Amino acid sequence: MGLREQKRQETLSRITRSAMELFARQGYEATTIEAIAAAAGISRRTFFHYFKTKDDVLLSQQAGLGEQLIAALAAEPDAGTPMRTVHAAMRRIASSYPLEELVVIDRLMLSIEAVQSRKQANYIRDEKLVLEALRQRWPMEDDMSLRVTAFVAIGCTRLSLDAWRAAGGTRPIVEYLDRAFAALTSDLARG
Amino acid sequence: MGLREQKRQETLSRITRSAMELFARQGYEATTIEAIAAAAGISRRTFFHYFKTKDDVLLSQQAGLGEQLIAALAAEPDAGTPMRTVHAAMRRIASSYPLEELVVIDRLMLSIEAVQSRKQANYIRDEKLVLEALRQRWPMEDDMSLRVTAFVAIGCTRLSLDAWRAAGGTRPIVEYLDRAFAALTSDLARG
DNA sequence: TTGCAATTCTGCACTGAGTGCAATATTTAA
DNA sequence: TTAAATATTGCACTCAGTGCAGAATTGCAA
């Protein structure tokens, strides 16, 4: 890695660290890009060479659920049905979630409408990503079937995170995931 | 309805009509609030008495899926399980969808990132609305069960709309809804 | 009808996000 | 060491969104 790239990484991390600290201290709206740039030791104009918008600084802190899931999916053996395979991958992810970090950033995001929207919209982007991965791996499978599988994958993860958060975050997330799956299966079987 | 309220309605509709026309003609970004206000015969400042942001004009054109579903839910008899009742309500809505309008607005929204995000975020808001309605109607039911029911309600509708649109919008939507439900049920039963 | 209170509309001035451009500084490769 | 490539910066600009205060309009009561 050349000096150029190295400096770029350093600047990038200085921007995000400065921004997150300012956001936490004085709130999102009250923090101007001017202030972030100053704290990171760059000019206002340069900030926009690193991030397209102020929102993007926050969004960049979010781990991409879609990418994670695709990676986990690739590690699963080829034996089962799409749904079965996805289910296993989800459990693997849920068991190893970096919880504390997530919650702090999440609380911050909750307070900003536009960011919250984009975060939630990301779920749908993630779903599309997963759907594409599924289509490549099971090209012969019925398309609607793959659609609902991707939908369940992202949705149940989101649902378990919600339930976990609502419950105060005491029990492990994977437990909520299992309960979501069980409820879904039995409700649909009865319905 | 007094003169005041009547005028307000008229102005509101003048704003949205002017805005949508300008958006369609010259694009979203290229249309300033200044121009919308002028076309609607009001001042720039007054525009903001009617809409909080420019995005909101577009968003306001979207029918609230959550509200629709809650209304349809209220019309269903009390006999079945939550999932069964929701399923019936969904079918009723899907059968009577005003298709053409939806598609035109949708195409416009697709082109604007921020609006698209908020539209998609609305799905999650809708899910929360439905969840609340379900909780009130079935207070004794397991919470996770109601969560997945609300999730399936909104999600399968969205999925069917997507699939319907992807297929060129020829066959009736309710057909896609049934297929989504069937795929979900059988995939989960096998998984 | 008239007068007064409650709303609504408007202009003005301001902040802050985001962009285009051209000049300057830094890094890379030869 | 030098020239090309890339990064940084300042400047000027557009436009969204907000607060405020005065003018215009509407509702209501006498």
Side-chain angles (χ1 to χ4, degrees):
Chain A
M1 183 167 66
L3 177 56
R4 192 160 265 168
E5 188 61 19
Q6 186 183 324
K7 272 191 150 183
R8 201 179 168 77
Q9 293 304 321
E10 274 169 24
T11 306
L12 193 66
S13 110
R14 244 181 13 253
I15 295 176
T16 44
R17 272 186 292 115
S18 305
M20 294 308 287
E21 204 204 331
L22 287 170
F23 290 162
R25 182 136 47 94
Q26 43 181 248
Y28 182 78
E29 310 286 355
T31 304
T32 66
I33 289 179
E34 183 92 45
I36 298 172
I42 56 168
S43 75
R44 199 182 87 92
R45 194 64 187 78
T46 298
F47 171 90
F48 288 107
H49 286 322
Y50 285 83
F51 291 98
K52 260 182 70 184
T53 69
K54 190 167 139 186
D55 294 356
D56 283 326
V57 181
L58 262 184
L59 266 322
S60 75
Q61 295 300 100
Q62 251 229 317
L65 178 56
E67 284 84 353
Q68 264 181 281
L69 194 47
I70 288 173
L73 220 44
E76 289 293 327
D78 254 343
T81 63
M83 184 67 83
R84 205 184 277 275
T85 312
V86 162
H87 189 174
M90 287 161 70
R91 296 198 80 242
R92 177 112 47 100
I93 290 178
S95 320
S96 66
Y97 234 54
L99 304 180
E100 280 74 18
E101 289 175 46
L102 243 160
V103 178
V104 174
I105 297 169
D106 232 72
R107 206 181 305 283
L108 197 58
M109 285 189 169
L110 267 180
S111 61
I112 308 133
E113 228 260 349
V115 173
Q116 186 63 9
S117 293
R118 287 189 53 192
K119 187 199 138 182
Q120 293 179 342
N122 271 349
Y123 285 126
I124 285 165
R125 188 193 60 103
D126 288 335
E127 197 179 300
K128 287 203 190 346
L129 284 179
V130 171
L131 176 57
E132 266 320 301
L134 294 180
R135 278 179 178 150
Q136 283 186 14
R137 180 148 169 189
W138 286 279
M140 305 307 292
E141 190 78 22
D142 171 55
D143 194 62
M144 185 56 95
S145 184
L146 294 180
R147 274 179 198 266
V148 298
T149 305
F151 161 64
V152 165
I154 301 296
C156 281
T157 305
R158 175 170 59 82
L159 236 50
S160 351
L161 278 172
D162 273 1
W164 171 79
R165 203 176 300 130
T170 47
R171 319 224 22 94
I173 289 187
V174 71
E175 213 166 276
Y176 292 93
L177 183 66
D178 286 340
R179 275 168 49 194
F181 243 90
L184 191 54
T185 307
S186 80
D187 285 358
L188 281 167
R190 282 192 290 142
Chain B
M1 184 167 68
L3 177 56
R4 192 161 263 168
E5 187 60 18
Q6 187 182 325
K7 272 192 149 183
R8 199 178 170 78
Q9 293 304 322
E10 274 169 25
T11 306
L12 193 66
S13 110
R14 244 181 13 254
I15 295 176
T16 45
R17 271 186 292 116
S18 306
M20 296 307 288
E21 203 204 332
L22 287 170
F23 290 161
R25 181 136 45 95
Q26 44 181 248
Y28 182 79
E29 311 285 355
T31 304
T32 66
I33 289 178
E34 184 91 43
I36 298 172
I42 56 168
S43 75
R44 201 182 85 93
R45 195 61 187 81
T46 298
F47 171 91
F48 289 107
H49 285 321
Y50 285 83
F51 291 98
K52 261 183 70 184
T53 70
K54 191 167 138 185
D55 293 356
D56 283 327
V57 182
L58 261 185
L59 266 322
S60 75
Q61 295 300 100
Q62 251 229 317
L65 178 55
E67 284 84 355
Q68 264 183 282
L69 194 46
I70 288 174
L73 221 42
E76 290 294 326
D78 254 342
T81 62
M83 185 65 85
R84 204 185 277 277
T85 311
V86 163
H87 188 174
M90 288 161 70
R91 296 197 81 242
R92 177 110 47 99
I93 290 178
S95 319
S96 66
Y97 234 55
L99 304 180
E100 281 72 18
E101 288 175 46
L102 244 161
V103 178
V104 174
I105 298 170
D106 232 70
R107 206 181 306 282
L108 197 58
M109 285 189 169
L110 268 179
S111 61
I112 309 134
E113 227 261 348
V115 173
Q116 187 63 8
S117 293
R118 288 188 54 190
K119 185 198 138 180
Q120 294 179 341
N122 271 349
Y123 284 127
I124 285 164
R125 188 193 62 101
D126 288 336
E127 197 179 301
K128 285 200 189 351
L129 283 180
V130 171
L131 176 57
E132 267 318 302
L134 294 181
R135 278 180 178 149
Q136 283 186 14
R137 179 147 170 189
W138 286 279
M140 308 306 292
E141 191 80 21
D142 170 55
D143 195 61
M144 185 56 96
S145 183
L146 294 180
R147 275 180 198 266
V148 298
T149 305
F151 161 65
V152 165
I154 301 296
C156 280
T157 306
R158 175 170 59 81
L159 236 51
S160 345
L161 277 173
D162 273 359
W164 171 79
R165 203 176 300 130
T170 47
R171 320 223 22 93
I173 288 187
V174 71
E175 214 166 275
Y176 293 93
L177 182 65
D178 287 340
R179 275 167 51 193
F181 244 89
L184 191 54
T185 307
S186 80
D187 286 357
L188 280 167
R190 283 191 292 144

